Amino acid sequence: MPAKQLVNPLKYLREAVNSRIYVRLKDGTEYVGVLVATDNTMNLMLDDAIQVADGGKRLVARMGRLLVKGAMVEIISFNPEEAVDVEVLGG
């Protein structure tokens, strides 16, 4: 069986720059926004960020530009439409 080549997950994060992503923090806070920048410690800068709750069912606040400390990130989804309610994203 051939050995699988490991891929650094930061590669996928860097490829997602200028895309809308979903981020859940370790404290349960959830955000959706356009990824503007990231670094080697997974700090994230989001534009047009919104805070959502209840698994994306409820809009909590419009945040604008947001900086998320990488150590606080629990989950990142590159398909926010699947992670949260599409009506919240559009509204």
Side-chain angles (χ1 to χ4, degrees):
M1 176 184 265
K4 291 185 179 182
Q5 182 178 359
L6 296 177
V7 178
N8 186 338
L10 290 174
K11 171 186 181 259
Y12 297 107
L13 195 55
R14 288 188 183 108
E15 289 174 357
V17 169
N18 296 320
S19 299
R20 186 168 294 279
I21 64 170
Y22 165 85
V23 179
R24 185 169 71 206
L25 305 184
K26 292 177 182 177
D27 69 358
T29 307
E30 303 168 277
Y31 298 103
V32 175
V34 176
L35 180 62
V36 176
T38 187
D39 63 14
N40 289 338
T41 60
M42 288 182 57
N43 292 322
L44 309 172
M45 182 179 291
L46 303 177
D47 251 351
D48 300 324
I50 59 172
Q51 182 180 353
V52 294
D54 302 328
K57 304 286 187 241
R58 185 169 52 93
L59 174 66
V60 175
R62 296 189 184 281
M63 307 299 291
R65 181 161 279 187
L66 181 69
L67 180 63
V68 178
K69 184 174 173 79
M72 295 301 298
V73 173
E74 181 179 43
I75 293 173
I76 298 173
S77 173
F78 301 114
N79 298 312
E81 296 81 13
E82 294 175 10
V84 299
D85 191 318
V86 176
E87 290 182 25
V88 170
L89 290 176

